[in-house]
Amino acid sequence: MSRWTLQPVPADGDYLVFGLPYAGTGASSFSRWPRRFGGGRFCAVQPPGRENRFGEDTVGSHQEFAEGLAAGIADRLDRPYALIGHCGAVPFLLQTAAHLERQGLPVPQRLFASGWGAPHKGLYGRLNFADLAEVDLVAEIEERCAALGYRLHAEFVEIAAETMLADLRVQRGYRAEALPSRDIPVSVIGWTEDRVVPQDAVWPGWEECADATFHVLEGDHWEFLRCPEALRDLVEHEMSATVSA
């Protein structure tokens, strides 16, 4: 089992979807997802520095992440697969796909980029422009937990805030210099009630750098983690089409 997945990569299923967590979260943020995808079709990615990998240093760059993840899953890319990420996970998703392509490894049949705008136009979301010395990341974590209907012990909130700070620092250095080719299509997803990255900030420019299709789903910024039926159906439709092609 790779350290880069919280659970073993499913051995069956006609396709596989790897979920990349975003700032301050780990693989457990996808806790609702596996039961939504039957037949061993979903696997959550676990970056270093969080949850069961808390004792490890967090990655220092998007490329370091891409190299680590690619090495961790390379021997399990024996069937059609996709990468999916939300908000700040999207740059890591793109960097990983580009790295896999450059290394001549099996590439994703599709990327699902949720709640993030065209990568070459910059960063998105208030926290990526806030003064990190001033922002209250503990409050940010508590607000996120409240939105999802659960509470964390104070000690774990502090840990998550430290992880989020490390992730935001890495994100500040992102430049869209390594993008996957247009041979890897991207499903770009916006959310009707997203106040973090509004849907009208999501669409512009994607067609300049990717073979992109655009989708609007009902919900707020956190709806992605709930894996609503519409999101699951979109992923299943696109991946089933790939398998049957």
Side-chain angles (χ1 to χ4, degrees), residues 15-20 79-84 107-112 235 239:
Y15 64 80
L16 186 59
V17 178
F18 289 99
L20 280 62
R79 57 184 143 154
Y81 75 98
L83 303 179
I84 189 169
V107 298
Q109 272 59 52
R110 183 167 290 271
L111 305 176
F112 294 90
V235 174
M239 292 308 294

Side-chain angles (χ1 to χ4, degrees), residues 6 13 17 33 41 82 97 106 159 215 245:
L6 189 59
V17 178
W33 284 59
R41 290 173 167 173
I159 292 171
H215 311 269

Side-chain angles (χ1 to χ4, degrees), residues 32-44:
R32 306 184 188 192
W33 284 59
R35 62 179 176 270
R36 288 287 203 177
F37 290 87
R41 290 173 167 173
F42 183 80
C43 184

Side-chain angles (χ1 to χ4, degrees), residues 71-127:
I73 64 175
D75 62 345
R76 302 313 303 265
L77 305 181
D78 55 352
R79 57 184 143 154
Y81 75 98
L83 303 179
I84 189 169
H86 179 63
C87 196
V90 172
F92 292 94
L93 175 154
L94 295 169
Q95 191 88 19
T96 300
H99 177 73
L100 288 161
E101 197 169 29
R102 290 196 307 270
Q103 295 300 307
L105 293 166
V107 298
Q109 272 59 52
R110 183 167 290 271
L111 305 176
F112 294 90
S114 169
W116 194 259
H120 61 296
K121 289 186 173 293
L123 300 176
Y124 301 86
R126 174 179 54 82
L127 290 180

Side-chain angles (χ1 to χ4, degrees), residues 173-239:
Y174 179 68
R175 302 292 182 272
E177 297 170 350
L179 293 175
S181 73
R182 290 178 177 270
D183 293 336
I184 304 176
V186 183
S187 294
V188 180
I189 303 164
W191 299 88
T192 57
E193 304 302 321
D194 195 331
R195 300 292 180 260
V196 178
V197 185
Q199 58 174 302
D200 60 2
V202 169
W203 319 128
W206 270 104
E207 73 284 353
E208 298 170 13
C209 63
D211 174 14
T213 57
F214 304 99
H215 311 269
V216 180
L217 302 182
E218 297 287 335
D220 60 14
H221 189 70
W222 312 115
E223 191 67 18
F224 175 88
L225 291 182
R226 303 182 183 104
C227 193
E229 186 174 325
L231 177 58
R232 183 205 62 196
D233 289 349
L234 171 62
V235 174
E236 289 190 339
H237 176 269
E238 298 289 8
M239 292 308 294

Side-chain angles (χ1 to χ4, degrees), residues 22-23 62 86-92 115-117 122-132 135 137 140 164-175 196-197 221:
Y22 60 96
H62 292 80
H86 179 63
C87 196
V90 172
F92 292 94
W116 194 259
L123 300 176
Y124 301 86
R126 174 179 54 82
L127 290 180
N128 284 309
F129 301 95
D131 183 344
L132 295 180
V135 67
L137 293 180
E140 296 288 341
M164 177 181 281
L165 178 60
D167 290 346
L168 289 170
R169 285 173 172 161
V170 169
Q171 199 77 293
R172 296 291 171 95
Y174 179 68
R175 302 292 182 272
V196 178
V197 185
H221 189 70

Side-chain angles (χ1 to χ4, degrees), residues 6 24-29 45-47 49-55 159 163:
L6 189 59
T25 70
S28 66
S29 64
V45 167
Q46 185 69 296
R50 61 210 74 204
E51 298 178 355
N52 65 315
R53 301 186 69 184
F54 179 67
I159 292 171
T163 302

